Amino acid sequence: MRGRRLGLRKKWALDLFSDLYRERVREHRLDTLFWECTLRCNLSCRHCGSDCRTDPGVADMPLEDFLRVLDEEVTPHVDPAQVLVVISGGEALVRPDLERAGMEISRRGYPWGMVTNGLALTPDRLRSLLAAGLRSLSVSLDGFASEHNWLRGNPRSYEQALEAVRMVVREPSLSFDIVTCVTASLVPQLEAFRDMLIAEGVRHWRLFSIFPAGRAKEEPKLRLSDAEFRTLLDFIRRTRREGRIDASYACEGFLGGYEAEVRDHFYQCAAGISVASVRVDGAISGCTSIRANFNQGNIYRDRFWEVWQTRFQPFRDREWMRRGMCGDCRMFRYCQGGGMHLRDDRGMLLGCHYHRL
C-alpha cells in the first residue's frame, strides 16, 4: 500500500483542492488552445496515440480556417495574451507555412508554442521560428540512443533530438521542457539519463508512461509493469527532493500517496476545463492526447465558442464515469474518473494509475 495510502494532512489538502477544482469547472476559462495542424509526421513511432505517418490520408488544416476560429470565435471572448496556442501534430515542422502560422498567431496577440520530435529542427529553422514569435517548445527525448531510436523507429532520431535540445538550451528567450516517454528498458537507466540532461543544461523534464491507444494498443510490451511504474514515481519523487532538475510526472492520472510529491500540484484533468483543441479535421475537443471520440463539435459546422460554453458536459460533469472500477471507488472525489485520454469510445477506463499502486 506504500505510495497509495493518503495521510490525513494530504487528504485534507485534497478536499480543499477538489473544491477549488469544482470552481474552475464552473468557470471553464480557456487558457490553452491546441491546434492539431497536421497528422503528417517524419517518424513512425511505436507508441503514437495518433497513429501518425508520412501520408496519413488526412489533409493538413488550412491555416486560414484556424485563423478564422481565432478571429471570429475566440478573440472576442478572451484576452489573447492569456491564452497559449500550442501547435501540434503529427509533427508540426513538416508544414512549410509554420512560420507564417506563428507570425499570424502572434500578430493577433496570442503567445504560441509547439511540440516536436526534433528531427527537422535545424539552427536556421529555430531562428525563423523565434522570429515568428515562438515562445515555448517541448522536445521529445525518450532515453539514450538505443531506447529512443527503437521507440521512434529511426536510427538518426536520437542524434537529432539531442541536437535540438542543445539548441534550445542555448536560447534564453525560449521556455522549454524535455518530454520523456518511459519504457521498461529506460527504467534501470533513469538516474544516468537524468544526469545527462542536467549536464546538457536541461532544467524542466516531464515524464510519462504509455497508455494503450493508437499504435501503442498493439504493443503491450511498451507499457510498464506495476513495479516499474512505482519505481518511476519513486525516482521522480527522489529527483524532485534533490532539486537539481525540475522533474514531474505528466498529468495522466490520480496517484494516491504520491500526489503533490511527483508534480507541482494535485492531479486534475484540464481537458475541457481550461484546455481545448481544434483537430486537423475541424473537430473540437479537449487536449490532443484524447484519441477516443469525445468530440463536441466541428468548426466547419459549429461555432467554436458556443461549443466551448455549452457542449463540454462529458468533460465537466464526470458522474457518468461512476461505473466499472470507478463505481464504488472512494477516490472518485479526487480523481473524477481519471484523464479523459484514458477512456475509450464507449467511455470505459483503459487503466487506473491509483489501482496500479
Side-chain angles (χ1 to χ4, degrees), residues 93-326:
L93 287 174
V94 304
R95 284 189 67 127
D97 65 346
L98 184 59
E99 283 83 353
R100 178 173 167 248
M103 291 179 68
E104 291 294 336
I105 292 168
S106 293
R107 188 168 66 82
R108 288 157 170 80
Y110 293 90
W112 71 277
M114 59 178 285
V115 182
T116 181
N117 59 41
L119 189 65
L121 189 65
T122 64
D124 286 345
R125 195 79 198 267
L126 180 58
R127 280 193 292 271
S128 66
L129 291 167
L130 289 168
L134 178 68
R135 298 271 291 276
S136 68
L137 186 67
S138 293
V139 179
S140 297
L141 190 63
D142 302 311
F144 295 109
S146 59
E147 296 80 35
H148 182 93
N149 289 342
W150 175 81
L151 190 64
R152 299 284 168 174
N154 185 305
R156 294 177 52 248
S157 179
Y158 174 78
E159 175 187 342
Q160 293 299 111
L162 184 57
E163 185 55 36
V165 170
R166 289 168 174 163
M167 281 188 277
V168 300
V169 163
R170 296 194 295 266
E171 181 47 60
S173 68
L174 198 58
S175 173
F176 76 93
D177 67 354
I178 303 307
V179 184
T180 298
C181 172
V182 180
T183 53
S185 59
L186 180 59
V187 171
Q189 304 181 75
L190 281 169
E191 292 193 2
F193 187 60
R194 173 201 61 202
D195 292 345
M196 185 273 287
L197 292 180
I198 293 172
E200 292 289 351
V202 174
R203 295 182 179 180
H204 304 286
W205 184 25
R206 235 175 338 129
L207 303 94
F208 69 99
S209 49
I210 296 174
F211 57 95
R215 207 172 290 149
K217 190 186 301 182
E218 310 304 322
E219 293 260 13
K221 63 182 179 180
L222 290 174
R223 299 191 285 280
L224 301 181
S225 69
D226 292 350
E228 289 164 340
F229 182 54
R230 185 184 295 278
T231 297
L232 168 61
L233 296 182
D234 285 336
F235 164 78
I236 295 173
R237 178 165 58 186
R238 186 168 62 252
T239 296
R240 288 173 63 85
R241 288 172 177 170
E242 291 173 359
R244 294 187 296 148
I245 187 172
D246 174 25
S248 64
Y249 187 68
C251 54
E252 284 200 309
F254 180 72
L255 301 172
Y258 288 99
E259 283 297 318
E261 297 183 18
V262 296
R263 287 186 284 243
D264 292 338
H265 50 76
F266 290 116
Y267 169 73
Q268 58 180 314
C269 179
I273 311 303
S274 59
V275 177
S277 67
V278 175
R279 307 242 183 221
V280 70
D281 62 353
I284 302 167
S285 187
C287 78
T288 51
S289 294
I290 302 169
R291 305 318 306 183
N293 187 10
F294 286 101
N295 300 334
Q296 304 303 301
N298 191 291
I299 64 167
Y300 294 115
R301 63 173 183 268
D302 304 304
R303 299 187 68 83
F304 175 90
W305 198 254
E306 180 183 349
V307 172
W308 174 251
Q309 292 289 19
T310 65
R311 296 198 200 172
F312 272 78
Q313 291 89 343
F315 292 78
R316 297 168 187 165
D317 182 357
R318 304 290 193 88
E319 285 301 311
W320 63 270
M321 291 184 175
R322 285 188 182 268
R323 51 178 169 158
M325 69 174 67
C326 295

Side-chain angles (χ1 to χ4, degrees), residues 50-91:
S50 307
D51 199 15
C52 299
R53 56 194 74 221
T54 304
D55 181 11
V58 179
D60 294 355
M61 177 180 286
L63 172 59
E64 289 70 22
D65 294 355
F66 179 69
L67 294 178
R68 176 182 59 80
V69 172
L70 285 185
D71 291 341
E72 299 177 8
E73 296 295 322
V74 181
T75 301
H77 305 282
V78 303
D79 174 0
Q82 301 300 314
V83 179
L84 175 66
V85 175
V86 181
I87 303 178
S88 69
E91 170 56 50

